[in-house]
Amino acid sequence: MNTHMKAICIDAPGSISLTRRAIPAPGPGEVRVRLLYVGYCGSDLGSFQGRNPLVNFPRVPGHELSGIIDDIGDDVPASLGVGQRVTILPYFNCGTCFACRKNRPNACRNNQTMGVQREGALAEYTCVPHNHIIPVNTLSPRDTALIEPLAVGFHAVERARIEPGETVAVLGVGMIGLGIVLAALRKGAHVIAVDLSAQKLEIARQLGAVNMVNAATENVVDRLLALTNGDGPSVILEAAGSPHTFRQAVDAASQCARVVYVGYTKVPVEYETRLFVSKEIEILGSRGATRDDFKHVTRYLEDNPACADIIISKIVPIDTADAAMREWAAAPGAITKILIRFGDYQPENGDEK
């Protein structure tokens, strides 16, 4: 076996390269995974563009993945074995803060996410503690790499407590927003998609969104009010991370609405704060995902396999993954999801478009 592997590294904002690193060996309680697919996340794009305040450089990105267990350290449960197909829960919580004690580890005060605060998985191999391994036997490796980003959207919808028949606006229908669209539709909601990109709005339409609002050409608040007979949506989920969408969510919300923020912005946001009180709205945050969210997405993809074909923009080998990031940064509205394929893995029938 070779002693070194290929990896993608963001060296500094605007600088990304294909590098070689030593192949890690699993320690006690750890499992080594040979990667098959890794998806680029919006946080990876933000890191490359210098917009991610949580990342330090240099950093190997990547936390949306599928792979195969290829080595196991000591003290790993017998339920995990070499050859199993898996994904990884990429959030590492401290176990002692208030959120962890409340059994909400995704909101851990000291959380470290792969590819952000700690090294990611955009390499041929990665080692993680066995309790972060999630076996996935029912999906193709390609579709398995979509579980984590869709789970973030599914978690936000759980936070929103959506009821059948409610009108839900999703501000920003990149990958996380599309997860919100799918989860809201699963709850029986009437979904309005809002984005600056006509291409992304078309994907949301194909996935089931009923109305589309192009923020590049339309007044978002006026359009949302018009689509709801002047009431405004009863649930608004913000997944764009823009000061404008943060404000639009409150301005367009109906009386007694729930507003859920999934994105975040580095700059201050000014609100008309009287609307918080006069509308008696609920403001909620949503962070990451849980194991249950991973399970819900897995079941959804089992039942709706055509979703992946609609969502995935392109699949490239690791040798050109740096160029793919630069391409995405140059035209972010044209790309929803890039998957990186590794090594000599041969896609199965239907595994790639």
Side-chain angles (χ1 to χ4, degrees), residues 120-203:
L122 224 170
E124 292 179 287
Y125 298 88
T126 190
C127 291
V128 296
H130 69 80
N131 59 350
H132 284 259
I133 294 292
I134 300 177
V136 181
N137 304 312
T138 56
L139 299 176
S140 71
R142 181 198 70 167
D143 294 3
T144 298
L146 300 180
I147 293 174
E148 192 276 340
L150 291 178
V152 175
F154 272 54
H155 183 74
V157 167
E158 289 302 311
R159 294 282 290 151
R161 309 189 312 278
I162 293 171
E163 298 178 359
E166 283 197 286
T167 297
V168 175
V170 184
L171 307 186
V173 287
M175 190 64 198
I176 303 306
L178 292 178
I180 293 170
V181 169
L182 294 177
L185 290 169
R186 183 170 170 260
K187 296 284 188 180
H190 175 111
V191 176
I192 304 171
V194 182
D195 204 282
L196 292 163
S197 167
Q199 293 99 317
K200 291 181 179 178
L201 289 172
E202 173 58 20
I203 292 172

Side-chain angles (χ1 to χ4, degrees), residues 215-236:
T217 59
E218 300 178 271
N219 182 296
V220 171
V221 175
D222 288 350
R223 185 66 178 140
L224 290 176
L225 292 174
L227 288 169
T228 55
N229 298 316
D231 289 334
S234 57
V235 181
I236 298 183

Side-chain angles (χ1 to χ4, degrees), residues 1 23-26 31-34 68-71 125-127:
M1 179 176 175
I23 295 175
V31 168
R32 186 171 69 196
V33 176
R34 177 169 64 87
I68 297 175
I69 295 176
D70 91 315
D71 198 6
Y125 298 88
T126 190
C127 291

